[in-house]
Amino acid sequence: MSGIDAAHELKDAYTRERVSCNICGLDTNEAFLFYTPERLVQCRRCGLMYNNPRLDLESRKKIYAKDYFVIDQDDPGIDYKAYANYIEEEPLIIKSVTRRLKKIERYVPEKGLLLDVGCATGFSLIAAQQQGWAAEGIELSSFCVDYARSRNLAVYPGTLKDYPGKKESVSAVTMWDYLEHSPDPLSDLKECRDLLKPGGVVVLSTPDVNSWSYYLLKKNWIGFKNIDHLFFYSRKTLARLAELAGLRLECSFYHGRDVALSFFLSRVQYYVAFKPLLRVLEKIANNPGIQNVSFYMNPYDILNVILRKI
Ligand SMILES: [Zn+2]
């Protein structure tokens, strides 16, 4: 291990593990790209990008505790957060998922059972039910599972392997911003294939490394902001992964989401180096008057793909 790598290991309390390319299964044929600050590599053979070493299971479990989704913003003790307050975003999440579900309707043979993987607090299931689906979810965070169940939603704890549903019982599997968190995406897609009825689809969204924002921002890219993002995909690597799992990439498109203006401003601050402007943005973001303001934003860097069972 080089001196730079050793210093990198000391920077936080998390523990990490070495992994192979999830597509090729090779662990020696990777090129180091840069620190994000995680150590980012790319498989020389297939082009898949991933963190190596990456956060191990214990570290990821720590991250998905309650604080990941609900943050007391005055608590300085929390050093990692993905969402300002996920629960307060319920209307926006339902709005965004509804848009996506309407868009994919024509690709789905029937509105039967929809399984949402990594469903968090289950707001996506509410959206699916409103669109006429029977909806179930899987979620690793026990805080989220408890919350979803308190809302009478069918959410199972754990990962796809823990899902009790029968083979060939699901019409559509959705994975909104999930696959970049998965420690073994190939295995997940194979599980999906087994669960899908013939002709069923997996619909997923994930940040696209083959996008304008990646090439412009590189290590400051939004896809790297969460240290629990483990894999980074392009249309090409997703198609290859799907093929290995017995799924065919049928179409891809960019889809945005409904964003609270306050959240948007807080994210923009990552890219603002000019301090006076930063203070103005903070002031606007904290103004109670804009808390309910939202808009649809498509940054053309969140890849959505439809994978058909073959
Ligand atoms: Zn590879």
Side-chain angles (χ1 to χ4, degrees):
M1 187 173 276
S2 74
I4 294 170
D5 281 359
H8 178 73
E9 292 253 314
L10 292 172
K11 85 177 179 47
D12 61 31
Y14 298 117
T15 45
R16 290 173 173 77
E17 61 187 359
R18 276 204 60 84
V19 286
S20 307
C21 173
N22 200 247
I23 290 175
C24 306
L26 303 171
D27 63 356
T28 52
N29 203 6
E30 64 181 37
F32 167 68
L33 296 182
F34 45 80
Y35 287 104
T36 67
E38 295 298 298
R39 186 174 181 274
L40 181 72
V41 302
Q42 181 169 34
C43 176
R44 286 195 173 94
R45 197 160 123 181
C46 71
L48 183 64
M49 285 161 63
Y50 50 102
N51 291 340
N52 203 9
R54 69 175 187 198
L55 296 178
D56 62 13
L57 182 62
E58 282 311 303
S59 297
R60 295 198 306 276
K61 275 185 182 167
K62 273 187 220 166
I63 283 177
Y64 296 131
K66 180 183 173 186
D67 294 339
Y68 187 77
F69 294 94
V70 184
I71 293 295
D72 175 4
Q73 298 194 336
D74 297 328
D75 184 351
I78 294 163
D79 65 347
Y80 183 80
K81 55 188 172 188
Y83 300 99
N85 191 328
Y86 196 85
I87 287 177
E88 281 177 7
E89 292 208 5
E90 174 173 350
L92 287 177
I93 293 165
I94 290 178
K95 214 169 168 182
S96 291
V97 174
T98 301
R99 274 185 212 277
R100 290 178 180 187
L101 291 175
K102 282 183 175 166
K103 179 143 185 165
I104 63 162
E105 255 175 33
R106 66 191 170 101
Y107 297 96
V108 188
E110 51 158 15
K111 279 188 183 174
L113 177 61
L114 180 148
L115 175 66
D116 189 38
V117 182
C119 67
T121 45
F123 300 146
S124 55
L125 307 188
I126 297 174
Q129 286 169 350
Q130 288 171 354
Q131 295 304 307
W133 294 87
E136 297 186 349
I138 307 170
E139 174 54 45
L140 198 59
S141 156
S142 53
F143 163 76
C144 285
V145 173
D146 292 345
Y147 178 86
R149 286 178 167 178
S150 77
R151 300 279 303 265
N152 291 321
L153 297 166
V155 174
Y156 297 94
T159 65
L160 264 163
K161 285 193 168 65
D162 306 309
Y163 177 63
K166 287 199 180 72
K167 282 187 176 183
E168 306 208 338
S169 66
V170 176
S171 299
V173 178
T174 53
M175 295 173 164
W176 308 124
D177 308 319
Y178 164 80
L179 209 61
E180 61 273 24
H181 299 262
S182 168
D184 190 350
L186 179 57
S187 154
D188 277 345
L189 290 180
K190 283 178 177 168
E191 296 277 346
C192 291
R193 187 191 182 280
D194 289 346
L195 289 169
L196 282 175
K197 289 180 174 180
V201 292
V202 176
V203 187
L204 68 89
S205 64
T206 189
D208 182 6
V209 285
N210 194 22
S211 63
W212 68 272
S213 63
Y214 171 76
Y215 291 112
L216 187 70
L217 299 165
K218 286 290 170 76
K219 69 183 175 63
N220 295 315
W221 186 49
I222 198 82
F224 300 136
K225 287 295 169 198
N226 297 6
I227 59 170
D228 56 313
H229 284 183
L230 308 176
F231 287 96
F232 308 93
Y233 307 94
S234 63
R235 189 184 192 279
K236 188 180 157 212
T237 53
L238 273 178
R240 181 70 190 125
L241 201 59
E243 192 185 341
L244 290 173
L247 300 160
R248 189 184 63 246
L249 194 154
E250 192 163 296
C251 77
S252 65
F253 51 92
Y254 290 118
H255 204 278
R257 62 178 178 139
D258 294 270
V259 183
L261 185 57
S262 54
F263 177 83
F264 174 75
L265 291 172
S266 71
R267 282 293 161 123
V268 165
Q269 290 170 28
Y270 280 121
Y271 305 115
V272 177
F274 183 55
K275 286 245 166 66
L277 178 58
L278 194 59
R279 278 197 289 275
V280 172
L281 288 175
E282 266 172 12
K283 240 183 194 160
I284 300 171
N286 293 327
N287 183 334
I290 68 154
Q291 293 310 314
N292 292 322
V293 180
S294 70
F295 60 97
Y296 176 73
M297 185 177 75
N298 186 351
Y300 292 88
D301 59 4
I302 303 296
L303 188 60
N304 285 245
V305 297
I306 295 182
L307 312 174
R308 177 94 54 194
K309 179 169 179 171
I310 46 178

